[in-house]
Amino acid sequence: GHPVPLLIGLDQENGGVNSLFDEIYIRQYPSAMGIAASGSKELAFEVAKATAEELTACGINLIMGPCLDVLTNARNQPLGVRTTGDDPQEVSDFGIAFMKGYKEGGCSTMGKHFTSYGNLEFLGSALDVPIITESLEQLSLSALIPFKNAINQGLDAMMVEDVQCHQLD
């Protein structure tokens, strides 16, 4: 009954990242890359909508998604099939379809992982903070496109990754 309800968020990307799991009552959907492999943005919208409807039925009103990472560096990635691929426009188109589905299903959206896990270099041990080695100009031509487009289409929030930006010589 409070005029400003609590914001309750959850990571529910489908595929391998599901914070809410029940073999009987919670549907399990393919990963973002699996859905993108179908080529259907309508399918992405419908899966996202169904996911959000299940979350809202559980009292959750913020989904930590869509994943807007462009997979430009396939080595040492924490992403795998969590992203829709390596083409910035395709990632953008599918990300917006997911975002609109989440919203239609009743959840606010949080795009992630700004500036993109897809271009990280892990230069030391697995315990080191990863580094972005691309320039701002390079990022704006690839990794930042899905974030910019999602913001323009009504993305509610942004998850910022924990990396260092560093230009290597």
Side-chain angles (χ1 to χ4, degrees), residues 2-137:
H2 193 277
V4 181
L6 287 174
L7 190 60
I8 303 172
L10 189 71
D11 233 347
Q12 191 79 5
E13 293 179 18
N14 295 315
V17 178
N18 289 317
S19 296
L20 190 62
F21 179 82
D22 184 280
E23 290 181 10
I24 298 171
Y25 298 107
I26 304 296
R27 291 175 281 191
Q28 300 301 303
Y29 294 105
S31 66
M33 191 175 283
I35 292 171
S38 76
S40 172
K41 290 165 203 66
E42 179 64 28
L43 177 63
F45 174 89
E46 292 298 332
V47 167
K49 179 180 175 187
T51 300
E53 288 171 346
E54 287 186 335
L55 294 181
T56 58
C58 296
I60 296 157
N61 53 15
L62 171 69
I63 188 162
M64 295 174 192
C67 185
L68 297 170
D69 303 276
V70 178
L71 190 59
T72 55
N73 177 4
R75 298 178 321 211
N76 299 320
Q77 288 302 313
L79 282 177
V81 296
R82 296 169 65 194
T83 180
T84 56
D86 61 1
D87 177 78
Q89 193 56 54
E90 182 176 282
V91 171
S92 180
D93 293 344
F94 275 97
I96 289 168
F98 283 122
M99 179 188 76
K100 288 181 176 180
Y102 295 144
K103 286 175 169 277
E104 182 75 19
C107 282
S108 296
T109 56
M110 178 183 287
K112 61 183 183 183
H113 306 87
F114 185 81
T115 57
S116 182
Y117 277 160
N119 56 13
L120 300 182
E121 288 287 344
F122 294 84
L123 300 178
S125 75
L127 300 176
D128 287 340
V129 175
I131 296 174
I132 297 173
T133 59
E134 294 177 324
S135 69
L136 183 57
E137 181 180 0

